[in-house]
Amino acid sequence: MLLILVYSLFFSQNKGPDSLQKYSYQELQQKFYNYNNSNQTDHAQLISRYFLHKAHLEKDDEQKAEGYVMMHFNENLPNALKYLDSLQVITRKSTKPFYPARVYLLRGNLYSKFYNVKAALGNYVLTLEHAREKGNKRQIAFAEINIAYLNNYVGRYRDAANTLKHYLYKTDYLDQKDYDNMHVNLADTYIDLNKMDSANILIKEGLHLTSEAGRTYQYHGYLVESGYYHLKLKKYQEAIDDLLQCKDYFFTTHDVRNQSYTLYYLVSSYVGLGNKEKAVENFKLLDAHIKEKNYIFPELRMVYPYIIEYYKEKKDRENQLYYIERFLEIDKVLDSQFRYISRELPRRYEKPKLVKEKEIITHELENKKIIFYVSSISLLSVLLVFIYLYYQSKKAEKQHRQIAQDLIQKVQENNKNEPAPAPQPENIIVELPSEDPKERNANTISEDVVQNILKELTAFEAKDQFLNKGITLGSLAKRVKTNSKYLSETINTYKGKNFAGYLNDLRIDYAIRRLANDRKFRSYKIQFIADELGYNNEQAFTLAFKKRTGTPLSIYLKEIEKSES
């Protein structure tokens, strides 16, 4: 009762930009979203408070839910989450087709707004599950589009492009604002995929349409993409011309993302142009902006090494140390926030090196005399490590040669023995190993089925069918006339390995014999040999060979040549 009295006193004295009592719920909502979309957040908050107060007074649960939605938009993360928790509670028994998916969608958008990609993705996945259950195609679309934006953000560009293309060109049930967002994001994704012609078409379309319609904000969004496009083409001055316009415009708005990327692209463009001073000037603005807004994105890993190297060349140890520490902070956030392994980590400033350099510089600044001792110890350590690694490599090489020689000897011994005629699969009776009673009770496959599978596997091995490309558990199951589960269980139980290990061991054992016995075969390029053995590429074959035998393929081949000379 006291809460209602306080609300009444507040709104009787603070009616805000308009006299709110005369408006219906629908009209209040319209006013709220108009104010909110035009960044008049004070007016928007006033309306949302009044709206929720009115709904509480009238005990209207449906409007309370809308009030919680409106209230969460302009709050910090903890408070916004509380409003969404209240929304979830009040709608838990709702029969409306957009609940509970709406709650998860709003949570996903909220976490995305505060750059918590992991939490955002989790909520979008839940949105997708509930929306599919209710058959709500708009919510399915919103979830998949937002997941595409996250994929783009963390570097999975192809997945993002496929989703955006589908909803941009093959649907008609979303709002124009949603299609506009997809249009500009698809242009950005095409640039990341190096599909420059496709990106250019979308950017030109966007610039033309937004310019004609007088949509200044959207126009500058495409201008950012134009700057990025020219940057990727190394047309640095054209990129700078676009981006300077964006810099002037976006810093009059609350668009943190476009502010950040405009500065990032400007830094990169000035670096490409060779204008160090301008690059550093804009980088300092970018770093301060990131620190203030806490907007961190993966591409930052590409630009901090430049400023660190700049101050290293200037012998400005204080600034060098400061930006190393900033880089490590950002790297830590990226590692904790994103399911995104750093494919773009700077080659010259890997994290372990930065940590070590930070320690050296910190001690140097505290006491210059320590430099001599640190340098001496470092040189000695490097020398000792080099000596250790040298002897270890020699020891490993000797072991690898011995393994290769043993393999060759084994092949030669097998060649001397005339192999017995291979039994026909239909006549093979496989003696099954004795089982523990507990294990036998747990086994769901009959002995007849196991016998049949093992016969078929014997034929599969005898005919070297494991050399065929594209063999999967499913395709082999069809070939041996069983299902994937039975085949997998049989291979695990009677071959002592999983399906991938079984297939790989057959191929490598074949390679060991064939390479030792067939001079012409081993004269082929490794890529051809790998292909013959059913591998997709040379690297997969050589790694598999080393894992199976314990010796590199190159050493095995050398030892074969030695044995025949």
Side-chain angles (χ1 to χ4, degrees), residues 19 71 112 116 166 170 173 226 280 332 400 509 554 556:
S19 180
M71 284 295 295
S112 183
N116 189 335
H166 169 75
K170 296 183 180 180
Y173 47 81
S226 179
V280 171
K332 183 178 179 181
H400 292 153
D509 290 346
S554 57
Y556 181 64

Side-chain angles (χ1 to χ4, degrees), residues 25-33 36 44-52 63-75 83-84 87 102 106:
Y25 283 117
Q26 186 176 357
E27 289 169 331
L28 287 169
Q29 274 185 285
Q30 186 62 50
K31 281 184 158 299
F32 169 82
Y33 287 110
N36 207 51
Q45 283 180 315
L46 183 62
I47 292 173
S48 62
R49 289 193 191 100
Y50 175 75
F51 187 103
L52 187 57
Q63 299 305 332
K64 282 182 195 177
E66 296 305 319
Y68 290 134
V69 172
M70 291 158 62
M71 284 295 295
H72 100 282
F73 277 111
N74 298 303
E75 291 287 346
Y83 284 118
L84 293 183
L87 174 66
R102 187 187 188 193
L106 290 171

Side-chain angles (χ1 to χ4, degrees), residues 31 33 36 67 74 147 161 191 200 226 237 288 293 302 305 334 392 419 423 427 436 447 479 499 537 558:
K31 281 184 158 299
Y33 287 110
N36 207 51
N74 298 303
I147 289 172
I191 296 172
N200 192 32
S226 179
Q237 189 56 56
K293 303 297 184 182
M302 301 299 294
L334 289 171
Q392 285 294 105
N427 298 324
D436 184 272
E447 185 174 319
R479 184 175 299 177
F499 170 72
N537 55 64
K558 286 180 182 176

